[in-house]
Amino acid sequence: MMNLFHLIFPAAASTFGTPFDNFSIFLLVLCGGTTFAIFCTIFVFIVKYHHTTGAAEQFPLRKPQVLEYAWTVIPLGIFFFLFWWGTRVYLQIESVPAQGLPIFVMGKQWMWELEHTGGQKEINELHVPVGRAVRLTMISQDVIHSFYIPAFRIKQDVLPGRYTYLWFTATETGRFRILCSELCGTNHSEMTGWVTVMEPTDYEHWLEQNASVAGSIPDHVDDGSLVELGREIFEKKQCVSCHSKEGRAPSLIGVYGHEQFFEDGTSAKADDNYLLESIVRPSAKIVRGYPDIMPSFQGQLTDREVRGLVEYIKTLSGDQL
Ligand code: CUA
């Protein structure tokens, strides 16, 4: 059975493998078995009750109530069971752990750009350690893409103007395919890459090797980590001239992860998407007690610069500014 299954799906290499595959196999067997049983019954009835046999006339019509209840209640029970099981697997995949190893993913026609917190950048390649939760924060520079690693059983749309997330814990070392599973233009089918899962010590070594390369080119805004880039932008754009205590705009110290209250009476937790929105569409949510005066930085900053600002603002706590 497993070998047959792996004709359709590749061998699983993440912690989602077993729950996802068990559920899929159960669904396949259930649907296949039901279809088979229905067609067998149709075939038997066609032969047995064909009008030339006269069989139908031998049985007077009656209401087989027990049978009717049975074929209503049993499938209903099965559907509820599937709902419960599927929800469990779904929630496991959707519950992104906050403390996972952060990786920034940018999709663009037609490549994947990946970045580690130390500033190590990769194109269509991703190096991660085995046995550790990895958390991907993803955005698109143009159209909708979809980040897909079949061997890890994960897939998530990557959208322009909004962050989406994925996470996984790889269970095996090796190289696994990255695909784009959303038709995104002419070279969609070439928007592929590889994840390399390494032993933790090898990964540390890889990080060190690639950090030296990134750090050796000074005075270029595209190098260094996202946080450093964010700090540069924050200073260059003079965000602090408004965003400070007693300033014209709310202080950003400790803003991340806290409830924000708005002029229209609503509130929301300041997550990554809230910070992103506040930079590119500042009028969308106006913090209570402040005027709607911030200009939009849409088009003035690259997606990576915006991401850097978000990462930098996330670090603001205590007595900076
Ligand atoms: Cu990107 Cu398909």
Side-chain angles (χ1 to χ4, degrees), residues 25-304:
I25 291 169
F26 184 83
L27 273 181
L28 273 176
V29 171
L30 181 74
C31 296
T34 308
T35 308
F36 184 72
I38 289 171
F39 276 89
C40 285
T41 312
I42 290 173
F43 186 73
V44 169
F45 280 15
I46 286 172
V47 173
K48 194 172 172 190
Y49 298 111
H50 193 266
H51 73 96
T52 54
T53 64
E57 282 103 72
Q58 293 165 22
F59 301 101
L61 274 179
R62 63 192 165 83
K63 279 196 167 175
Q65 278 190 332
V66 178
L67 199 61
E68 282 187 19
Y69 281 125
W71 74 45
T72 306
V73 173
I74 293 173
L76 186 71
I78 293 174
F79 286 138
F80 271 112
F81 173 65
L82 289 177
F83 175 71
W84 169 80
W85 190 357
T87 307
R88 259 181 54 136
V89 177
Y90 176 78
L91 288 179
Q92 189 183 350
I93 294 175
E94 285 297 303
S95 307
V96 183
Q99 70 280 31
L101 179 71
I103 305 278
F104 179 53
V105 180
M106 183 137 70
K108 59 165 98 166
Q109 288 170 322
W110 287 273
M111 63 171 80
W112 296 109
E113 286 184 3
L114 301 108
E115 182 164 347
H116 302 251
T117 43
Q120 296 86 348
K121 294 186 205 64
E122 306 188 69
I123 290 178
N124 295 335
E125 290 280 344
L126 173 62
H127 291 75
V128 291
V130 70
R132 181 165 168 202
V134 176
R135 179 177 189 270
L136 308 175
T137 303
M138 311 188 293
I139 200 164
S140 165
Q141 197 176 292
D142 34 53
V143 300
I144 299 176
H145 302 277
S146 184
F147 194 83
Y148 181 30
I149 306 177
F152 294 173
R153 308 292 189 262
I154 52 166
K155 185 197 305 197
Q156 171 64 52
D157 274 12
V158 179
L159 311 170
R162 200 174 104 197
Y163 295 120
T164 53
Y165 304 92
L166 263 184
W167 79 282
F168 61 85
T169 303
T171 51
E172 275 172 45
T173 56
R175 302 230 325 141
F176 306 97
R177 265 288 185 202
I178 300 172
L179 302 173
C180 175
S181 63
E182 182 75 52
L183 183 59
C184 56
T186 316
N187 294 335
H188 153 72
S189 63
E190 288 167 24
M191 196 170 162
T192 63
W194 293 93
V195 191
T196 305
V197 181
M198 318 165 91
E199 291 297 340
T201 47
D202 295 341
Y203 175 69
E204 291 304 325
H205 188 61
W206 182 89
L207 279 183
E208 279 165 29
Q209 271 188 328
N210 287 274
S212 58
V213 177
S216 65
I217 312 161
D219 301 329
H220 192 285
V221 87
D222 214 33
D223 292 290
S225 73
L226 282 165
V227 178
E228 285 165 27
L229 172 67
R231 188 188 294 119
E232 271 180 56
I233 301 290
F234 199 84
E235 282 161 16
K236 206 168 91 186
K237 297 286 177 186
Q238 309 222 317
C239 305
V240 74
S241 66
C242 291
H243 288 283
S244 58
K245 283 182 197 129
E246 272 108 64
R248 289 185 293 165
S251 163
L252 298 176
I253 293 168
V255 71
Y256 186 72
H258 285 95
E259 199 76 5
Q260 304 298 306
F261 298 91
F262 308 118
E263 281 290 336
D264 62 1
T266 59
S267 69
K269 203 173 121 182
D271 57 8
D272 295 42
N273 271 315
Y274 169 75
L275 296 181
L276 167 71
E277 184 185 63
S278 300
I279 296 166
V280 297
R281 290 182 298 279
S283 296
K285 295 190 180 79
I286 303 298
V287 174
R288 193 186 292 162
Y290 290 94
D292 178 12
I293 51 168
M294 176 166 157
S296 168
F297 285 85
Q298 185 134 43
Q300 296 191 37
L301 300 173
T302 66
D303 284 313
R304 186 166 181 270

